[in-house]
Amino acid sequence: MVHAFIMVKTAAGESEGLLAEIRGLESVVDAHIVAGNYDIIAEIDGQEVYDVLETVSSSVQGLGGVSDTKTYIAMG
């Protein structure tokens, strides 16, 4: 099992709507609006690293209003 944290930067005023969409994605364990360089942090679980990266590239980055993402794979 691979656990990852996805930092999501959104367009102005889009965070709340995107939070609901991100929470609705199948591999997302949890997601929160945060203050800082990114607007949302999502936790994702996948069987393999490829599964996590696939979720980010095809699902999260494809949502309208997402301007940037950064993926951090948990090491322990």
Side-chain angles (χ1 to χ4, degrees):
M1 182 65 70
V2 177
H3 190 74
F5 296 90
I6 313 304
M7 310 309 173
V8 182
K9 192 173 286 190
T10 68
E14 298 287 333
S15 295
E16 288 186 27
L18 282 169
L19 180 63
E21 289 186 66
I22 289 170
R23 282 181 172 164
L25 297 174
E26 185 177 332
S27 4
V28 173
V29 176
D30 205 358
H32 303 277
I33 292 177
V34 296
N37 292 334
Y38 286 84
D39 303 301
I40 296 172
I41 295 178
E43 292 183 60
I44 294 180
D45 283 337
Q47 287 298 100
E48 304 287 335
V49 171
Y50 174 81
D51 299 321
V52 170
L53 298 177
E54 178 70 21
T55 297
V56 174
S57 64
S58 65
S59 298
V60 177
Q61 291 177 345
L63 296 172
V66 171
S67 59
D68 188 27
T69 62
K70 194 168 288 272
T71 302
Y72 294 92
I73 304 293
M75 299 302 289

